[in-house]
Amino acid sequence: MNYYVDASAHESGDGTKEHPFRRIQEAADLAMPGDEILVLPGIYRENVNPVNAGCENARITYRSIKPLEAVITGADRVSNWIPVEGTVWRATIPNGIFDSYNPYTTLISGDWFNANLKAHTGEVYLNGKALYEVTDLDGVRYPKVFSRSWDPDFSVYTWYTEQDAGRNETILYANFQGRNPNEENVEINVRRNCFYPEKEGVGYITVSGFTITKAATQWAPPTALQEGMIGPHWSKGWIIEDCDISHSKCSGISLGKYLQPGNNNKWLHEKFKDGTQTERECILQASYEGWDREHVGSHIIRRNNIHDCGQTGIVGHMGGVFSVIEDNHIHHINNRQNLAGAEIAGIKMHAAIDVIIRRNHIHHCTRGIWLDWQAQGTRVTGNLLHDNTLPDDRLLQDRESALAAMGEDIFIEVSHGPTLIDNNVMLSDRAMKLATQGVAIVHNLIAGSFTAVGRGVSNGSSQYVSPRYTPYHEIHGTKVCGFMTILHGDMRFYNNVFIQRPIRPAMQRIHDENQSEWDDNNVIAGTCPYDGYPDFEEWARAFDGYCGFGCNASTDRYYMPLPVWTGGNVFLSGAKPCDREKNFATDQATLVSVGMREESGKWYLDTNVFEALQKLDLKDTMISTDILGKAFEPEERFENPDGSAIVFDTDFFGEHRRQSPMPGPFESAEELQRPMSSIIE
């Protein structure tokens, strides 16, 4: 059955085409498996709460009849501003409009959030752009440029809130810098979400073609209920496609964790157990409470434009297992820098078990992709990543701020793998942060450095040993098989092209002055951070003649770094190989340039890399699952989620590779005349 919704209808009808509902929620209350809700253009100021689940073969579909012209927003317009002084205005909001959740009394908080920054879940928007919250009225009267912002000129548009308890009202002050807010489009966050089921298990929903924007979402760490403007709330089989998703206070799409009342931000509230311990408890509790393939995950997130969110474009812990995230444009995440903490990225996922992240364009984010804990069976393939390290040297001048938001294209943290990174273009100054093991990096173009190799895996005690034990799972499943620290190594580098671009002086200074347990801030491209790691033969010799306990009870063999495998890599313009490289080539004479160019909404790669590659006499071999072997701890192959083998015989554009393929993600120079992808721009 089809239900029709039209915000411009004179009155709400019965959901027929001739007499449509006015609100999407009216259809959501009735929709059953197989039904489709067709939404006409208009602004829908509501939080859609899907009541019923669809079925695998009979989904419930919500569709904008005209793509992106049906707007679901968590904001309401405010036009009762009165002038106070200068360019400062004031609005009074009756608290009744907020129901039980007032974004202007609710502070951002949660595990791994930097509580030194005070921020409410509410927001004030001028013509679709969020103003900057300040902590007192003087910050509105006399605004200062916020130096950490990636858009400092706009940071003098500020707002402040306070409560009138006697009148039960929210008071908002804002500096509109000479504009009359009653003549502009000024909105404020009113609703917590835009499209989010209140209950768990509402699966097999499709959301297609909507603009979804401006919600008062809360911080989403892995140890709490993870909410977004839109998300499946711990269910199975959602499809979110062809949407424009923007201006969530925290997260745009959540594929994340359900509420565990006894362990919800427990680290923040009870203090005594470290957050990583409460996270382990969350994972085990979930496994007892139905976290498995039959009930959770297997979502598809595709062809969305996700931007201008405060924490993440996509977030998820455990709830995103077995999902596909493809062909999305994810950009300008956390650029305002008004939120800070450990959970910020274009895509931030814990437990991305058998998740495929492919053909996305991710740029100008504080961090591109962050795979934290349990990146097992995860494949990141065919993505274009750039400008995910602070792109403006001005932002590097404040050392502490720069270190907090340094970022890279891909961060893999304390996972045991197998994690597969193939056929990607990574052009940020820092390509990958690798405080992890069990990763295969194959056929990529990498113009940035590897950082944190051999570091960043402890809990940070200054006096005591504080290793992080993280879980690994059954092969292609969620059951926990064990916990182990990170030994480092267990890395494979095959058929990649590494390019050393000119090092920005500010990046070099950060490296020289700020090496720590967490990050060496390396600026040299190539595999050189793995100098000193054993190859397999050297590592295996440590076990020669071993005859069990008592033969040699005191041994380092189980705690030494794991081996590194290499082959077919190319190092250009100063990029450096590690001391275990095999069958590799270098060209330090040809100055190789590489960068992105945007024309008419399409992005092109500008590079002369093939000029250097064609000079080399390097016979690369076809890489496959059999060559990559198994990740050490889970003893799982680098394979497809269905257990089938992978042969890397197609390139970034899907073109077939020759038996002796070109290194890097492109098989021919002619391919570089094409736009880098067909994703939403």
Side-chain angles (χ1 to χ4, degrees), residues 10-27:
H10 183 260
E11 60 182 5
S12 194
D14 58 6
T16 60
K17 189 173 185 179
E18 294 75 19
H19 301 97
F21 295 129
R22 291 195 66 189
R23 297 175 66 249
I24 301 170
Q25 187 62 51
E26 295 176 87

Side-chain angles (χ1 to χ4, degrees), residues 219-256:
W219 186 252
T223 48
L225 170 68
Q226 288 187 317
E227 62 178 39
M229 282 199 303
I230 178 172
H233 191 187
W234 204 250
S235 66
K236 183 176 179 179
W238 276 45
I239 298 173
I240 301 172
E241 63 182 12
D242 301 313
C243 293
D244 189 290
I245 297 168
S246 72
H247 295 93
S248 173
K249 183 68 181 212
C250 288
S251 294
I253 297 174
S254 171
L255 305 179

Side-chain angles (χ1 to χ4, degrees), residues 54-162:
C55 301
E56 185 172 6
N57 297 318
R59 310 180 65 82
I60 297 176
T61 298
Y62 296 77
R63 188 180 309 281
S64 174
I65 292 176
K66 292 187 177 180
L68 306 183
E69 292 191 24
V71 179
I72 305 174
T73 175
D76 281 359
R77 192 164 184 177
V78 177
S79 56
N80 64 335
W81 296 91
I82 59 174
V84 177
E85 58 180 276
T87 56
V88 177
W89 297 69
R90 185 177 92 170
T92 301
I93 313 296
N95 285 340
I97 74 167
F98 300 123
D99 197 15
S100 60
Y101 179 82
N102 186 338
Y104 302 92
T105 61
T106 305
L107 291 174
I108 300 289
S109 67
D111 292 348
W112 289 283
F113 175 69
N114 182 354
N116 292 325
L117 292 175
K118 182 182 177 182
H120 291 87
T121 59
E123 202 71 277
V124 178
Y125 304 91
L126 172 62
N127 298 325
K129 195 168 183 176
L131 278 63
Y132 287 67
E133 183 179 5
V134 292
T135 56
D136 55 40
L137 189 53
D138 277 351
V140 178
R141 290 188 177 119
Y142 314 110
K144 298 178 181 178
V145 171
F146 184 41
S147 61
R148 290 175 57 177
S149 171
W150 292 28
D151 182 13
D153 292 343
F154 196 76
S155 68
V156 295
Y157 289 76
T158 58
W159 67 273
Y160 167 70
T161 186
E162 59 187 29

Side-chain angles (χ1 to χ4, degrees), residues 472-545:
Y472 52 94
H473 299 262
E474 64 179 339
I475 295 174
H476 304 304
T478 58
K479 292 180 181 178
V480 176
C481 289
F483 290 84
M484 187 54 186
T485 58
I486 299 300
L487 301 176
H488 301 287
D490 195 23
M491 303 291 290
R492 297 134 179 91
F493 302 96
Y494 288 106
N495 295 4
N496 300 287
V497 174
F498 295 93
I499 301 171
Q500 179 68 58
R501 291 196 294 182
I503 301 169
R504 290 189 280 161
M507 293 291 293
Q508 182 68 57
R509 179 180 60 81
I510 292 290
H511 164 72
D512 293 343
E513 298 176 2
N514 295 284
Q515 297 192 40
S516 69
E517 176 187 352
W518 296 100
D519 199 336
D520 57 1
N521 291 298
N522 174 46
V523 292
I524 303 301
T527 57
C528 54
Y530 286 91
D531 281 353
Y533 281 72
D535 60 20
F536 177 78
E537 290 74 18
E538 180 182 349
W539 176 77
R541 283 196 295 271
F543 298 86
D544 288 349

Side-chain angles (χ1 to χ4, degrees), residues 281-343:
E281 293 172 356
C282 285
I283 294 163
L284 292 172
Q285 180 181 344
S287 69
Y288 306 148
E289 295 180 345
W291 177 43
D292 56 34
R293 184 187 294 270
E294 286 66 41
H295 297 94
V296 179
S298 299
H299 307 298
I300 299 173
I301 311 299
R302 63 190 177 198
R303 301 189 303 271
N304 300 289
N305 185 25
I306 307 170
H307 58 100
D308 292 289
C309 297
Q311 179 191 339
T312 64
I314 301 173
V315 72
H317 181 206
M318 296 189 285
V321 291
F322 317 120
S323 294
V324 176
I325 300 171
E326 62 184 5
D327 299 311
N328 299 287
H329 186 199
I330 304 174
H331 56 104
H332 296 94
I333 302 297
N334 190 238
N335 287 178
R336 298 167 68 221
Q337 288 287 294
N338 59 325
L339 303 180
E343 305 303 317

Side-chain angles (χ1 to χ4, degrees), residues 549-571:
F549 181 77
C551 177
N552 185 4
S554 178
T555 178
D556 291 329
R557 61 173 62 89
Y558 297 111
Y559 306 99
M560 62 187 289
L562 296 167
V564 171
W565 290 262
T566 68
N569 297 307
V570 172
F571 302 86

